[in-house]
Amino acid sequence: MLADFNSHTGKHRTSSRLISTSGSGRNSSPTFKVRPKSKVEDSPLYRFAALPHLPSEAVRIPTVSFSPTESNTTALLHFNSFLRRAFPTLFTSSLVHHEVVANYSHLFWVPGLQPQLLPYLLLAHIDVVPATESDGWVTPPFSGQEIDGFIYGRGTMDDKSSLMGILQALEYLLMKGYAPQRGFYIGLGHDEEVSGHQGAMNIVRVLKQRNVRLSFVLDEGLAVLDGVVSGLNGPAALIGVSEKGLAIVKLSVSTLPGHASMPARESSIGILAAAVKRLEDNPMPMLFGHGPERQTFEQLAHKFGLPLKFILSNLWLFSPLVGRFLEQKSDSNAFVRTTTAVTIFHAGVKSNVIPSHAEAYVNLRIHSAQSLQEVLDLIKFTVGDERVKMELIEGFDPLPVSSSDENSYGFQIIKKTVLDMFPTVTVAPGICVGNTDSRHFKDLTNGIYRFAPLWFKPGDAKRFHGINERISKKNYEELVLFYSRLIQNCDIDKLPEPHTSVHEL
């Protein structure tokens, strides 16, 4: 039996009123039925339940987070009402405990028929980043309009499709009378785009107060890459086993102000611009092969042709060569080092006044082989100018790397669900270069995974936080089916046998 079969000591234990029993008496023993493999994709009710108008409606509610202190609270309240209307079974079922956390986030608890099984958590977030039509969208970003089989709008990829897919899957299963063997939570944060300090962190606080331990956490992150990795034969589903750390650093320079007609030899802007240029000209060291990205390429090696197959199968020798190749493009460069991005530059108030102060913000995503302190030391060394003051605005180390071996319950269940749906896809662990709400849950579990079955074609990654964010109606239905099967696959009380064909499970 699995090590995660420890007792669940959370506050909400499964009670007799929450268990489907074979008799009518309160003390009747529950009937434990092994559910067959999911058949929902063949059900007309499933097709009805997966209608794409629901994600379109979700997109039309502009739940924008502008900053840690500013969000569209009116839209968040509207979204709350929308969820209750969209999923009436979920919000009225006696099998589901629901509570609002920190005014706008949601926590659902679905007890299992076997409370000794350690529960898991499905995460998604309600909020989105700002978007305006003037940026070049083919349709207004909060219209949820359908064009050529795609639903366009801010949040279709990040992260309302996953959110709606999770809830629609559970709504459908409840409608079919399904009750899980293994209990699970669903957490919906409302401020993930601004670090999740109110939503996710308060959900964690609630769970800690109830002494909850989790078998694993599944959040957004990586996806199914189809034609994205040059030379890879066929699509690959990458399950994020970690995510990069973060440092937001403010650099500032203060000098005496003056009139533009009598400039000093150096200005605050010039000093700071030179410091920023040194950071861009001297990137952080290339570290390919020292983090989870090594596992990614080793496990995908057999899907490449020669000579790449040979090179990637021998990274003990060729890691420097592969790293040099990957750093040539911005998207793959993010996997091999701590990245440095200057995102804000402020200086000056009038065209004929030399400003006394200039400041720039630098956003760094920290590679798994580095620490926050190492990165700060390198910034100071590279800038090399005492006139440039450095202040850490926010930062944290890279997240621990969750296991992906054959004994890892969470990873193997996610992998099995992917292969149930897409038997020809290659599954491998990966590193998430962005940050998610899941990092706040590291004290509750050793298994945090970041994946949703979004299909990425070349160029799709740029739609994240960019223009023309979209999801196909077919892919949305796949999300609903994925979460439905995942919930049912978690009822397995033993891990799938290694190397066993998915058709035999």
Side-chain angles (χ1 to χ4, degrees), residues 40 45-56 82-83 86-87 89-90 160-175 186 476-477 479-481 483-484 487:
V40 293
L45 181 57
Y46 164 72
R47 291 296 174 185
F48 171 80
L51 288 175
H53 70 85
L54 286 180
S56 295
F82 161 67
L83 290 181
F87 305 111
T89 307
L90 173 59
K160 286 181 176 176
S161 289
S162 290
L163 183 153
M164 298 299 289
I166 292 169
L167 297 186
Q168 242 180 302
L170 180 54
E171 175 84 359
Y172 172 65
L173 291 174
L174 292 171
M175 291 169 65
I186 298 172
Y476 176 70
E477 288 191 0
L479 260 70
V480 178
L481 181 55
Y483 290 114
S484 174
I487 291 169

Side-chain angles (χ1 to χ4, degrees), residues 312-361:
L312 295 176
S313 298
N314 294 277
L315 289 178
W316 60 274
L317 176 62
F318 293 113
S319 282
L321 175 65
V322 175
R324 295 303 176 197
F325 173 78
L326 292 173
E327 69 180 354
Q328 300 305 311
K329 293 184 178 181
S330 59
D331 51 356
S332 54
N333 179 60
F335 291 99
V336 305
R337 61 166 37 88
T338 295
T339 54
T340 305
V342 182
T343 54
I344 300 174
F345 201 111
H346 289 312
V349 294
K350 200 169 185 292
S351 62
N352 64 347
V353 176
I354 297 173
S356 62
H357 186 76
E359 62 184 33
Y361 286 79

Side-chain angles (χ1 to χ4, degrees), residues 153-425:
R154 177 63 84 221
T156 49
M157 301 169 77
D158 182 20
D159 178 39
K160 286 181 176 176
S161 289
S162 290
L163 183 153
M164 298 299 289
I166 292 169
L167 297 186
Q168 242 180 302
L170 180 54
E171 175 84 359
Y172 172 65
L173 291 174
L174 292 171
M175 291 169 65
K176 295 291 288 183
Y178 176 80
Q181 305 294 312
R182 182 187 298 271
F184 63 95
Y185 293 87
I186 298 172
L188 309 178
H190 71 270
D191 63 341
E192 188 271 352
E193 297 293 359
V194 288
S195 296
H197 291 157
Q198 295 300 313
M201 288 186 70
N202 275 296
I203 291 174
V204 170
R205 178 183 56 78
V206 169
L207 295 178
K208 283 185 175 181
Q209 288 174 348
R210 296 170 186 170
N211 298 316
V212 171
R213 286 292 300 172
L214 299 170
S215 173
F216 69 92
V217 171
L218 176 61
D219 197 4
E220 63 168 338
L222 299 181
V224 183
L225 308 183
D226 188 10
V228 174
V229 181
S230 180
L232 182 66
N233 180 23
L238 300 185
I239 301 172
V241 294
S242 185
E243 59 187 60
K244 299 178 83 173
L246 173 70
I248 299 176
V249 176
K250 182 173 79 170
L251 302 177
S252 61
V253 175
S254 294
T255 59
L256 292 175
H259 196 282
S261 64
M262 298 177 289
R265 184 171 182 177
E266 290 183 293
S267 66
S268 60
I269 293 178
I271 296 170
L272 184 58
V276 167
K277 188 67 166 61
R278 286 193 290 275
L279 286 178
E280 292 186 334
D281 288 345
N282 297 276
M284 294 286 168
M286 196 274 288
L287 295 169
F288 176 78
H290 297 281
E293 74 280 354
R294 177 167 183 160
Q295 286 182 289
T296 303
F297 285 92
E298 285 178 336
Q299 295 192 26
L300 294 178
H302 68 287
K303 300 297 288 186
F304 288 87
L306 293 172
L308 280 178
K309 180 178 180 179
F310 176 77
I311 292 172
L312 295 176
S313 298
N314 294 277
L315 289 178
W316 60 274
L317 176 62
F318 293 113
S319 282
L321 175 65
V322 175
R324 295 303 176 197
F325 173 78
L326 292 173
E327 69 180 354
Q328 300 305 311
K329 293 184 178 181
S330 59
D331 51 356
S332 54
N333 179 60
F335 291 99
V336 305
R337 61 166 37 88
T338 295
T339 54
T340 305
V342 182
T343 54
I344 300 174
F345 201 111
H346 289 312
V349 294
K350 200 169 185 292
S351 62
N352 64 347
V353 176
I354 297 173
S356 62
H357 186 76
E359 62 184 33
Y361 286 79
V362 185
N363 187 300
L364 302 104
R365 301 305 172 106
I366 304 171
H367 188 276
S368 296
Q370 281 187 306
S371 69
L372 172 62
Q373 188 58 53
E374 287 172 338
V375 167
L376 295 178
D377 291 342
L378 278 170
I379 294 173
K380 186 175 182 179
F381 175 80
T382 303
V383 168
D385 191 334
E386 293 297 327
R387 296 172 297 177
V388 181
K389 305 303 179 186
M390 185 175 76
E391 179 185 353
L392 178 65
I393 302 301
E394 181 183 359
F396 50 84
D397 287 321
L399 272 292
V401 179
S402 298
S403 175
S404 61
D405 63 28
E406 59 189 29
N407 295 314
S408 303
Y409 181 82
F411 186 90
Q412 294 301 329
I413 287 295
I414 298 165
K415 178 179 179 179
K416 168 180 165 49
T417 307
V418 171
L419 294 176
D420 280 350
M421 294 188 59
F422 313 113
T424 61
V425 166

